[in-house]
Amino acid sequence: MTRAGPWPQQLLVVAEQGLGDVLQFVRFVPLLLERVSQLQLCVPEKLMGLLLSSLPESVEVIAPELLASQPAVPWLALLSLPWLLEINEASCLPQHPYLQVGADRIATWRARLCRDGELLIGIHWQGNPLTEKSYLRGRSLPLEQLAPLAAMPGVRFLSLQRGAGAEQLDGCSFRSAFVADQDEISTVFDFEDTAAMVACCDVVVSSDSALAHLAGGLGVPTHLLLHPFSDWRWGLEGEHCRWYSSLRLHRQARGESWRAVVLRLATELSRQYAPEKTDGWWRAGVITMDASSERFTAFKEGNSHLISRVEVWQALDGRRLDRRQAVESGLYSQAGINVRGLTAGTIGAAASHRRLWESCLISGIPMLILEDDVVTHPGLECFIEAHRARLEGCQIALFGCNTDSVLQARTAQGLTLTAAMQPAHPTREWISGALENTDPDRVIFLDLIKACGLCSYWITPKGASFLLNRCFPLSEATTFVPLLRRQLPGIAIDWKLCSLYDQIDALIVYPFLAFTPNTDSATREGTSEISN
């Protein structure tokens, strides 16, 4: 056939490319009804149900297996339609949702998936590996790179991944944030049901795959993650897409990690969908391995003045993160992850603190971060309120640090102070006495130069942004700290921060408003080396 015609009365259109191509170009099929009286569309069998409910009844949808029994008729390839119909950059593409799913099917899935007050995000991270061996290589990303989305408040995830890549759910650090019966849902391969699930989502986040075309064709708000050398259909620049009005493009810069792209997206989504904040200008979070443990019970007793406003954050267990995941997520460099003696506790601490920094950046609200063996002064909350301007203006502020370390700080007059603290491992009784004898009104801020330990600290969105960029991936590089008279390896998050405090607006209070026993038993969980 040619553009000049004439058009036949009967025409067969054959979908000759992948599922995503079919979903993208099937929008042009109804336009042929203005030119031919009998129209057949041959598509993969798995798409037949969805297209039967989406196309006009006069379009006969058939499976490839039936082609041999069909009479010979003029035919053309589906992806030739734009050329044949003279579609160009000036043409108005069909933008209304041109894919349809039965209302009853959507209602069934909505009752199963949706909860009041939660933002349901459908995610898809892996395309067909067989098509990613040449120029499409790199378009998919590991599931773990989507972790910053889990730092958004009030979100629930629905995995729309089927086949290759679905196995990554098992080791996902934010597995608990998925819908309750995700394991059962993951066994549903029916394309109409998948489309109904997509229609139930408030937002879809996807790599470049057929799922993105499905969501776009359904008109669901969709965010497409693109690697630097993306497919032709997405163009070379810009965030808007001519093919789908509900789809936004998020482009990875050359050399940029996927996690950085996702972090920007999570920040945007949080601004768009997060509920109005009514609980003040700052947040507080505690990192714990087990909120039912004796250790956490002791934390609640020692910090009863704060417990009503503290969010409990499940610590990421380093024993469940293998070396490949740690590198893929940008937590460690390949060299850093191979440092001898790197323990599960070290990697879990780094991953846990990074997640709270991401939450701070995403929410745009300063955050008090506590470890679950810390005891804070009863007046800490009032101290924060009284010094709002100073705390909002800094990047990080420590309310205490490890007492077996050495503190170096600078006064407002420019005098550098170096202090070795005693006792190195204070008892609970000693801590209680020290806090009782501290008057918050006499506590001052010092400019922090060096200190180790993150038992209780304050971080602002500005500080979180800087530290996320400068701390990760953690590496084997060491920094010599003269006052400690030793090299600090960059594989531990607090040691990495020790090398950065003098480069940012970092503060520490003195006397301290928080202490930790700082014993080996406080951090002995997960001290085995991580697995290969």
Side-chain angles (χ1 to χ4, degrees):
M1 292 184 59
T2 66
R3 287 176 170 176
W7 287 81
Q9 289 300 302
Q10 187 175 0
L11 181 63
L12 170 66
V13 177
V14 179
E16 83 285 14
Q17 298 293 330
L19 298 182
D21 298 299
V22 177
L23 295 173
Q24 178 182 358
F25 285 87
V26 75
R27 73 181 74 204
F28 298 115
V29 170
L31 301 180
L32 294 175
L33 293 175
E34 302 172 4
R35 296 168 171 82
V36 300
S37 57
Q38 296 183 50
L39 182 60
Q40 290 179 309
L41 174 64
C42 177
V43 297
E45 187 172 0
K46 63 173 61 178
L47 292 180
M48 287 185 62
L50 174 64
L51 296 185
L52 281 169
S53 62
S54 302
L55 294 170
E57 293 182 2
S58 55
V59 178
E60 181 184 0
V61 182
I62 61 174
E65 293 76 14
L66 298 179
L67 279 180
S69 61
Q70 298 292 307
V73 296
W75 70 277
L76 58 85
L78 177 63
L79 269 65
S80 296
L81 289 185
W83 173 80
L84 197 63
L85 295 171
E86 300 186 76
I87 303 295
N88 55 43
E89 291 185 358
S91 303
C92 293
L93 301 179
Q95 287 293 341
H96 60 279
Y98 58 87
L99 298 178
Q100 304 292 330
V101 191
D104 291 344
R105 194 183 294 254
I106 293 176
T108 298
W109 280 108
R110 191 177 300 280
R112 186 173 177 179
L113 298 173
C114 300
R115 299 179 186 174
D116 290 341
E118 286 187 344
L119 184 73
L120 183 63
I121 301 180
I123 57 175
H124 190 272
W125 56 93
Q126 174 71 61
N128 184 353
L130 296 178
T131 66
E132 299 180 4
K133 295 182 177 181
S134 57
Y135 76 100
L136 291 178
R137 184 183 307 225
R139 69 173 184 170
S140 297
L141 64 156
L143 169 60
E144 193 61 35
Q145 298 281 32
L146 296 176
L149 294 171
M152 293 173 55
V155 299
R156 185 69 57 184
F157 296 105
L158 171 65
S159 171
L160 300 166
Q161 189 71 43
R162 301 293 182 268
E167 74 283 351
Q168 296 178 34
L169 267 175
D170 295 336
C172 173
S173 66
F174 54 104
R175 181 65 178 82
S176 61
F178 285 79
V179 294
D181 50 353
Q182 179 66 67
D183 288 340
E184 181 181 348
I185 292 171
S186 294
T187 65
V188 177
F189 281 80
D190 183 271
F191 218 87
E192 281 189 277
D193 280 316
T194 299
M197 293 182 215
V198 170
C200 292
C201 294
D202 298 298
V203 179
V204 168
V205 176
S206 178
S207 63
D208 184 3
S209 64
L211 195 283
H213 293 282
L214 176 61
L218 290 167
V220 175
T222 302
H223 296 269
L224 179 60
L225 307 177
L226 295 175
H227 72 125
F229 307 103
S230 56
D231 199 17
W232 62 268
R233 71 198 78 211
W234 310 121
L236 298 175
E237 59 185 16
E239 63 179 33
H240 297 292
C241 172
R242 293 191 70 244
W243 297 103
Y244 306 103
S245 59
S246 64
L247 190 146
R248 278 194 59 205
L249 309 176
H250 299 265
R251 300 180 186 274
Q252 182 187 40
R254 294 185 67 175
E256 185 180 32
S257 71
W258 277 119
R259 196 176 185 103
V261 179
V262 176
L263 185 57
R264 287 199 304 272
L265 169 59
T267 303
E268 293 177 18
L269 291 177
S270 182
R271 303 290 192 274
Q272 183 178 357
Y273 291 101
E276 290 294 324
K277 308 294 190 303
T278 59
D279 54 352
W281 59 277
W282 60 281
R283 303 161 56 199
V286 58
I287 302 170
T288 184
M289 286 289 292
D290 184 0
S292 62
S293 65
E294 292 183 7
R295 175 165 162 161
F296 191 71
T297 299
F299 169 83
K300 291 190 289 184
E301 292 172 352
N303 300 277
S304 58
H305 48 282
L306 281 176
I307 201 65
S308 63
R309 70 178 300 155
V310 170
E311 308 166 40
V312 178
W313 287 75
Q314 176 68 45
L316 297 177
D317 189 347
R319 291 167 293 190
R320 297 190 60 189
L321 291 172
D322 60 25
R323 294 177 186 269
R324 177 185 56 80
Q325 290 174 314
V327 173
E328 285 182 348
S329 69
L331 189 67
Y332 280 86
S333 67
Q334 189 64 59
I337 204 65
N338 289 323
V339 170
R340 186 174 181 180
L342 178 63
T343 67
T346 301
I347 193 172
S352 297
H353 283 277
R354 180 175 70 165
R355 186 168 63 161
L356 267 72
W357 297 355
E358 289 174 339
S359 177
C360 174
L361 179 60
I362 290 168
S363 69
I365 298 176
M367 194 169 191
L368 170 65
I369 298 177
L370 309 166
E371 294 184 338
D372 66 355
D373 61 340
V374 72
V375 181
T376 60
H377 194 286
L380 178 57
E381 185 172 2
C382 293
F383 180 86
I384 290 173
E385 295 293 341
H387 296 275
R388 175 172 181 173
R390 189 70 181 94
L391 289 169
E392 282 188 316
C394 74
Q395 289 174 285
I396 189 170
L398 273 60
F399 294 113
C401 67
N402 286 357
T403 49
D404 65 347
S405 177
V406 177
L407 166 66
Q408 190 174 56
R410 186 179 296 108
T411 68
Q413 293 74 30
L415 179 65
T416 298
L417 303 177
T418 301
M421 292 162 281
Q422 295 292 331
H425 304 289
T427 63
R428 292 276 175 177
E429 292 74 19
W430 187 94
I431 290 174
S432 296
L435 292 175
E436 286 177 6
N437 292 325
T438 298
D439 180 359
D441 291 335
R442 300 178 68 87
V443 170
I444 62 172
F445 286 107
L446 301 174
D447 292 327
L448 180 59
I449 301 174
K450 302 292 181 187
C452 288
L454 293 172
C455 63
S456 174
Y457 66 100
W458 173 273
I459 191 166
T460 63
K462 180 175 63 174
S465 177
F466 178 88
L467 294 178
L468 286 167
N469 287 325
R470 292 295 300 275
C471 285
F472 304 104
L474 294 167
S475 71
E476 81 288 3
T478 60
T479 300
F480 180 70
V481 181
L483 71 157
L484 296 179
R485 287 180 289 184
R486 60 173 171 148
Q487 297 277 356
L488 292 184
I491 58 172
I493 189 64
D494 58 338
W495 294 343
K496 180 66 176 179
L497 279 172
C498 186
S499 69
L500 293 174
Y501 287 136
D502 59 353
Q503 301 176 33
I504 60 176
D505 187 359
L507 306 172
I508 190 166
V509 301
Y510 196 80
F512 291 168
L513 293 174
F515 288 95
T516 173
N518 195 38
T519 60
D520 291 338
S521 62
T523 56
R524 68 171 179 261
E525 288 191 63
T527 55
S528 58
E529 291 193 30
I530 60 174
S531 60
N532 289 312

